[in-house]
Amino acid sequence: MTGRNIGIELRLADPITIGHPRDVNSEIIKFGVSSPFREGDKAGELIELHPSEPLSQACVTACQRWGYTDPSLFALKFSEPPGHYVTDATRRNLSGKLVMMIHSAAKVSQDIITKLHDSSSIIAGLKELSAKASDPTLAEVFVSQDGLNALLEIIEKDKIGEKEIALQYAFQSLLDIIFNSVHATWDKIQGPVLSKILNYINSPRGNSQERHALKSALQVLENTVMSGVANDQIEKEVTLPTLIHHMSHPDRDVQQNVLSFINALLSKAESTRRKHLAATLNSKSYRASVLNHVINRAGERPAETNHQLYVLQTLLLNFLDERKLTPVDPQDQQALNRIKDLCRIAFDSDSGFFTYNGNSDANSSGKKDKPNYSRDYRKLGFKNEVNPALDFAQTPPGILALDCMYHLAHTHTEAYNKLVIECAYRGAGDDFLLPFARASISLTNVLCDILRVGEPPGDQEGKFYPFFFQHEKPFEELFCICAQLLTKTWKEMRATVEDFDKVFDVVREQIRRALDIIPQNFSAIQEKLLSLTFTEITRLRAQERSSREEGELQAKPIQELRQKLIPEIQALIKQNRINFLISGTRFNKFASKGLRVKEKFWYCRLSPNEKTFHHGDCEEKASPMPEALTNKLPVVEIKELLVGKDCPHMKESKKNRNWPFAFSLVQEKEPLRSVDFIAPDEKTYDLWTDGINAILGKEMVSKEAKSDLDILLHMEIKLRLLDIEGLSIPQEPPPIPPPPPNYDFASFTAQVK
C-alpha cells in the first residue's frame, strides 16, 4: 500500500506534467522594455515574465533596474499601432516585442481630468484626451475617475465656447470613450449636453466649419439615436433642412455621417414622424442635394457612403410595405373611383368615345352609350367584372398595385393608352390577349420581391441604385418602364393566357439582369431592358444550362466515374482553400456591442508553411504581409472552429444580425481564448471555414465547397467524355457473358507460346 501511495505522489508532483505543462502560454515571456523618460534608451531592457507573475511585475523589475521608486505610476504600452496599453488579455503578444514603459492609465487619466478642471488648460486636456481615448484601458479608467462627467460638463456649460478645434477634441473624445468603455453608455448624452451638440449641427458655418468636429458630432448623434435614448429630444431639436445643407460639405466623411444620422432617425422614429421625414427626404430639394453633392460628384465614392445610400434607399422603399400589405376594401369608394378612372382614361378618346380598328362605342346617332363598366373591366384584364376591387384583395401587393396602375395612367397617359390597346385589341382571339390588370398586379409583386420591399437593410450587403433619387416616386416609375417590357415580351413569346406564369418567369429574369448592372438612370434601365429580348434571355438560359449537369451525366457508369474522381477533386479544393487563407482577407471591425466600427479594419492570413495564422489591424484596401501583422495563432493550438451563434462574440450581443457569417478559432490552452471573425459575405465565410476545416483535417461542408465540387466534377467528366460525344451511354453496363463450357483454349494458348 505504501509503495503504491508513494508512486502516486511522485506522479502528481511531476513538474513536467503538472507544474509546467507543455503549453506555449506557460513558457516564460521575454521582451524588451524602453521608456521615453530615459534619454538615449533605444535598445531597452530585457525582461522575463513568468506566467504566474502579474503583469505589473515587469514594471517593478524595470523600475528596480532604472532606479524609479514608485512602479505603480507606470504601465506597459505596445509600440506598434494602435499602441494600446498591455493588459492581461494581450500579454501573450509581448513575446519578442519591444514595448514602452510609460505612465499608467490611472495617472494619465488623472492628469487629463486635472487639466479639464483648469480653465487655462482645458483645450490641452481635450487634445490629449482625444488622442488617447481610443485605448479601452484609458477609457475605462477615465470613466471610473468621473472624467466622463467632467467632459460632459465642459460641453454643457460652454467652457470652450465656439472654438472649432476644441469642439473637435471634445466630440471625438466623447465618441471614443463611450465606444471603448463598457461602463459608459449613450444615455449619458441627453438634456443640455445633447442640446449643445444639436445646436452645433443646426448652426452651419459653411465649408469652413471644422470637418472633424462636424463628423464627430454627427457620429455621436447617430449612435445616441440608435441606442434608443433621447430620441424625442433629437427629433424635436434637429432640423432636417440643416442636415440637407451639410450634404453639400466638400468632405466625403461628413456627407457619409449625415447619411448615417438620417438613416438612424428614419429607422428609429415613430410611425407618424417617420412618414414626415420620408416626405421631406423625397422632396425635390433633398433629392437634388444628394444627386448633385454625393452621387454625381466627381471621383469614386467610398464603400461606406454607398452602403449608407443603400440603407437610405431601403428605408424609403419600405414605406411602400404598408400599401403592399393593405388589401383594397371592396366597398372603398375612392378605390372604385380610381378603377373607373383607369377605364375612362383607357377607353375614352378626346372626341368622347374610343375607336380602334373600326370598332366604336358610339351608337348610330353618334352619341356615346352609357359606360359599360363590366365590359371595360373585362377588356382591362380584371378577373372580377362586377367588383374589380376584389382583384386587389390579395396581399402582397394589395393596394400598391392600384397605386402603380394609377400612376402609369396619369403620369404616362399616352404610354398607358398604347399598352391597353396592345393588351385588349390584338385581333388574334381572347386567348392571346394579355390581361393587363392581372399582369400589373403580378408585376408589382415581382418588383417588390426583386427590390426586397419590406425587408430591413443588411449590414454588409445590398445594392444602391443611383436612379432611386431621380424621381419622387421611383418604384412607380420603374413599374411604368417594366409594364412596357411586359407587353413587349408577351408579344415576342406569342403567349396565351396559359403561358402567363412562363412570361413572368422571363420578365422577372429580364428585370433582375437589368438591375444587376446598377443602372445610373431610368434611361439606362430602359435601354438594358430593350436589349434583353426573349430571344436573348433564351440564349443566356441555354448558355447557363449547358454549364450545368445534363441528363446523360446521371447514367450509372458516369456516376461510378464521378465517385472515383471525388477524392482527387476534393484535394484540389482543399489546396484552393488553403491558398485563399495564405492570401488573407481584410475584415470589418465590430465593437463589443455588435456595432460595426466605421473605417476600422483588421487582416488575417495563414503563413505559407501553413503553421501559423497572422492577424492584426490594417488600413482600408491594405493587404499586409505576415511580418507586418502583430498577432499570431499557431495552428497546433487551435482546439476547434465555432460558427454562427455558438461563437463567443455572438453570445455577447443577442440581437446581432451578423451571426450567419460569424466564426471563431478557439485555442486549446486554458483559459480558453478565441480569435473572432465576421465575414463580409457568404462566399468569404465559406472559403474561410472550408480552409480552417482543411487545415484541421476535417470535412469541408460549406455550400461553396459543394458547388465547387459539382462544377469541377462536371468539367472533368465533360472533358473525359469528349471522345464518345454523340454516343448514347446506357443506364446499366452491358451484362457479363456466361463462362465458356471449357477452357481448352487456355492450354492451346500456352502451347503456342
Side-chain angles (χ1 to χ4, degrees):
M1 291 291 291
T2 304
R4 290 182 181 178
N5 289 338
I6 291 174
I8 292 172
E9 290 174 3
L10 286 174
R11 286 194 295 272
L12 289 174
D14 188 350
I16 295 177
T17 58
I18 298 299
H20 295 279
R22 294 180 179 179
D23 192 299
V24 175
N25 192 45
S26 67
E27 296 177 356
I28 295 176
I29 302 174
K30 298 180 181 180
F31 56 96
V33 175
S34 63
S35 175
F37 308 121
R38 302 183 72 236
E39 295 183 1
D41 180 29
K42 296 182 179 179
E45 293 283 343
L46 178 64
I47 302 293
E48 295 184 358
L49 190 64
H50 194 276
S52 61
E53 294 176 327
L55 187 60
S56 58
Q57 182 61 38
C59 292
V60 172
T61 302
C63 287
Q64 289 174 349
R65 295 180 185 178
W66 294 338
Y68 294 167
T69 58
D70 191 355
S72 65
L73 297 177
F74 302 96
L76 300 181
K77 184 178 182 181
F78 288 107
S79 301
E80 299 91 346
H84 291 167
Y85 280 102
V86 181
T87 64
D88 288 331
T90 58
R91 65 181 284 170
R92 64 183 183 276
N93 300 324
L94 283 171
S95 183
K97 300 285 181 64
L98 178 63
V99 297
M100 304 289 291
M101 190 178 80
I102 62 170
H103 284 144
S104 67
K107 176 171 174 49
V108 172
S109 174
Q110 191 58 57
D111 290 346
I112 292 174
I113 293 173
T114 301
K115 292 178 182 178
L116 296 182
H117 287 299
D118 184 351
S119 59
S120 63
S121 60
I122 288 180
I123 295 180
L126 290 173
K127 181 179 181 180
E128 184 178 358
L129 180 60
S130 67
K132 299 177 178 180
S134 60
D135 190 321
T137 304
L138 181 67
E140 282 294 355
V141 173
F142 186 79
V143 173
S144 67
Q145 293 180 347
D146 205 32
L148 179 58
N149 289 331
L151 177 60
L152 295 174
E153 183 180 355
I154 289 173
I155 298 174
E156 177 184 347
K157 296 185 178 180
D158 276 339
K159 292 185 178 181
I160 51 178
E162 295 294 325
K163 297 178 180 178
E164 293 280 353
I165 192 67
L167 290 171
Q168 171 196 332
Y169 296 148
F171 295 154
Q172 186 61 48
S173 300
L174 185 60
L175 189 67
D176 286 341
I177 288 169
I178 299 181
F179 255 132
N180 293 289
S181 172
V182 177
H183 297 93
T185 56
W186 293 105
D187 57 6
K188 292 281 188 180
I189 314 298
Q190 51 185 317
V193 174
L194 185 58
S195 293
K196 294 295 182 182
I197 301 174
L198 287 167
N199 182 60
Y200 179 75
I201 296 295
N202 290 332
S203 305
R205 298 162 174 80
N207 295 341
S208 62
Q209 190 166 13
E210 174 57 44
R211 64 185 183 90
H212 294 293
L214 187 57
K215 184 171 68 171
S216 300
L218 288 166
Q219 283 185 281
V220 170
L221 293 177
E222 176 199 349
N223 286 282
T224 304
V225 171
M226 294 303 294
S227 67
V229 298
N231 284 10
D232 290 341
Q233 180 183 354
I234 293 175
E235 290 175 3
K236 289 178 182 177
E237 297 186 26
V238 73
T239 58
L240 205 53
T242 304
L243 292 179
I244 295 173
H245 172 80
H246 287 311
M247 202 75 73
S248 62
H249 198 283
D251 188 85
R252 284 282 197 184
D253 290 336
V254 171
Q255 294 178 340
Q256 175 183 303
N257 287 1
V258 171
L259 288 169
S260 300
F261 181 37
I262 290 174
N263 289 335
L265 290 173
L266 261 181
S267 60
K268 292 297 182 179
E270 53 88 21
S271 179
T272 303
R273 172 64 175 167
R274 193 184 305 128
K275 290 180 180 178
H276 175 71
L277 286 172
T280 305
L281 296 174
N282 270 324
S283 66
K284 186 175 181 180
S285 60
Y286 175 76
R287 288 186 288 105
S289 179
V290 175
L291 275 172
N292 297 333
H293 301 297
V294 183
I295 298 176
N296 295 334
R297 178 177 172 179
E300 184 180 358
R301 286 192 304 272
E304 183 62 29
T305 301
N306 281 336
H307 177 74
Q308 293 303 329
L309 287 168
Y310 150 73
V311 172
L312 179 58
Q313 166 190 285
T314 303
L315 292 173
L316 292 177
L317 271 176
N318 284 349
F319 281 95
L320 300 173
D321 191 51
E322 182 179 350
R323 303 289 287 178
K324 182 186 77 171
L325 300 177
T326 302
V328 174
D329 186 350
Q331 306 303 321
D332 185 348
Q333 193 59 45
Q334 182 181 4
L336 291 173
N337 289 337
R338 294 176 75 184
I339 294 172
K340 290 178 179 179
D341 206 20
L342 292 176
C343 294
R344 179 188 60 77
I345 297 173
F347 302 119
D348 284 1
S349 67
D350 293 337
S351 58
F353 59 91
F354 177 79
T355 302
Y356 183 76
N357 285 345
N359 297 322
S360 174
D361 289 337
N363 56 28
S364 58
S365 62
K367 295 182 179 179
K368 182 172 172 60
D369 293 331
K370 291 182 179 180
N372 187 339
Y373 288 117
S374 295
R375 178 200 59 197
D376 292 345
Y377 295 153
R378 182 176 67 254
K379 286 183 178 181
L380 206 53
F382 286 104
K383 291 181 180 179
N384 195 307
E385 300 174 8
V386 177
N387 188 350
L390 293 172
D391 284 30
F392 301 99
Q394 183 178 355
T395 58
I399 200 171
L400 180 60
L402 180 57
D403 294 340
C404 292
M405 293 177 67
Y406 197 74
H407 177 82
L408 172 60
H410 277 264
T411 309
H412 304 279
T413 306
E414 184 178 352
Y416 173 72
N417 284 330
K418 289 181 179 179
L419 291 175
V420 173
I421 291 172
E422 292 180 4
C423 293
Y425 299 99
R426 284 188 60 186
D430 290 344
D431 287 343
F432 289 90
L433 299 180
L434 171 62
F436 180 73
R438 176 188 171 191
S440 297
I441 294 170
S442 296
L443 179 60
T444 306
N445 216 11
V446 166
L447 290 176
C448 288
D449 289 342
I450 293 176
L451 296 175
R452 299 184 177 183
V453 174
E455 296 183 18
D459 285 341
Q460 302 184 52
E461 61 178 353
K463 296 178 180 179
F464 157 63
Y465 303 111
F467 66 83
F468 184 82
F469 291 94
Q470 295 175 2
H471 199 280
E472 185 179 359
K473 295 183 176 181
F475 184 89
E476 289 85 342
E477 197 67 14
L478 182 60
F479 169 86
C480 296
I481 295 173
C482 294
Q484 299 175 64
L485 167 74
L486 174 60
T487 57
K488 175 175 169 289
T489 302
W490 185 276
K491 288 190 296 183
E492 291 173 348
M493 295 179 65
R494 300 187 180 185
T496 65
V497 177
E498 294 179 355
D499 301 320
F500 190 87
D501 292 337
K502 295 179 182 178
V503 172
F504 266 90
D505 285 341
V506 175
V507 170
R508 180 187 293 271
E509 188 169 351
Q510 290 170 318
I511 298 171
R512 180 182 58 79
R513 289 180 183 271
L515 292 178
D516 281 346
I517 67 169
I518 314 295
Q520 297 298 307
N521 49 55
F522 287 107
S523 297
I525 300 175
Q526 200 161 19
E527 183 179 347
K528 182 62 177 177
L529 288 173
L530 287 174
S531 68
L532 290 170
T533 62
F534 172 61
T535 303
E536 177 65 12
I537 292 295
T538 303
R539 186 189 67 81
L540 292 172
R541 284 181 169 181
Q543 184 179 358
E544 293 169 357
R545 187 164 50 249
S546 66
S547 66
R548 295 193 299 264
E549 198 168 89
E550 299 175 2
E552 67 267 20
L553 298 182
Q554 300 301 323
K556 187 174 180 180
I558 304 303
Q559 291 300 313
E560 291 177 356
L561 174 62
R562 182 185 179 92
Q563 293 303 316
K564 291 182 180 180
L565 292 174
I566 283 178
E568 178 183 344
I569 301 299
Q570 285 179 333
L572 186 64
I573 296 173
K574 176 181 176 181
Q575 189 58 50
N576 170 266
R577 298 302 191 262
I578 293 175
N579 290 341
F580 182 83
L581 265 58
I582 292 174
S583 299
T585 302
R586 182 173 57 255
F587 297 89
N588 288 319
K589 270 199 170 185
F590 286 77
S592 59
K593 301 174 184 179
L595 297 174
R596 182 155 61 103
V597 181
K598 296 178 182 177
E599 301 177 356
K600 296 291 183 180
F601 306 89
W602 67 288
Y603 204 89
C604 185
R605 66 192 307 165
L606 181 66
S607 62
N609 62 8
E610 304 175 13
K611 293 183 178 181
T612 307
F613 283 99
H614 299 262
H615 60 96
D617 294 339
C618 72
E619 298 294 330
E620 185 178 9
K621 298 182 180 180
S623 300
M625 299 301 293
E627 299 78 14
L629 300 172
T630 56
N631 303 317
K632 298 180 181 179
L633 173 62
V635 173
V636 295
E637 292 186 10
I638 299 175
K639 178 181 179 182
E640 61 181 335
L641 169 67
L642 298 178
V643 299
K645 294 182 178 179
D646 294 331
C647 297
H649 57 310
M650 292 296 103
K651 294 179 180 179
E652 296 174 2
S653 181
K654 297 181 179 179
K655 296 182 179 180
N656 200 321
R657 293 178 296 178
N658 296 302
W659 65 264
F661 301 148
F663 59 97
S664 299
L665 293 176
V666 181
Q667 294 181 252
E668 186 76 42
K669 57 191 177 183
E670 297 290 338
L672 293 179
R673 296 187 178 93
S674 64
V675 180
D676 303 318
F677 302 75
I678 296 180
D681 51 55
E682 185 177 7
K683 183 175 181 179
T684 305
Y685 170 84
D686 287 345
L687 293 177
W688 266 89
T689 52
D690 283 344
I692 294 169
N693 281 326
I695 290 291
L696 299 179
K698 297 181 180 180
E699 183 181 358
M700 298 178 292
V701 295
S702 73
K703 293 180 181 178
E704 193 72 13
K706 294 177 182 177
S707 174
D708 287 351
L709 179 62
D710 289 340
I711 293 172
L712 292 174
L713 277 173
H714 179 78
M715 293 174 59
E716 182 65 23
I717 291 172
K718 279 287 188 182
L719 288 173
R720 296 196 180 202
L721 295 181
L722 286 176
D723 292 337
I724 60 171
E725 188 175 1
L727 299 178
S728 60
I729 302 175
Q731 291 295 323
E732 298 291 337
I736 300 175
N742 58 65
Y743 295 89
D744 293 343
F745 59 90
S747 59
F748 175 77
T749 304
Q751 290 176 1
V752 172
K753 289 181 179 180

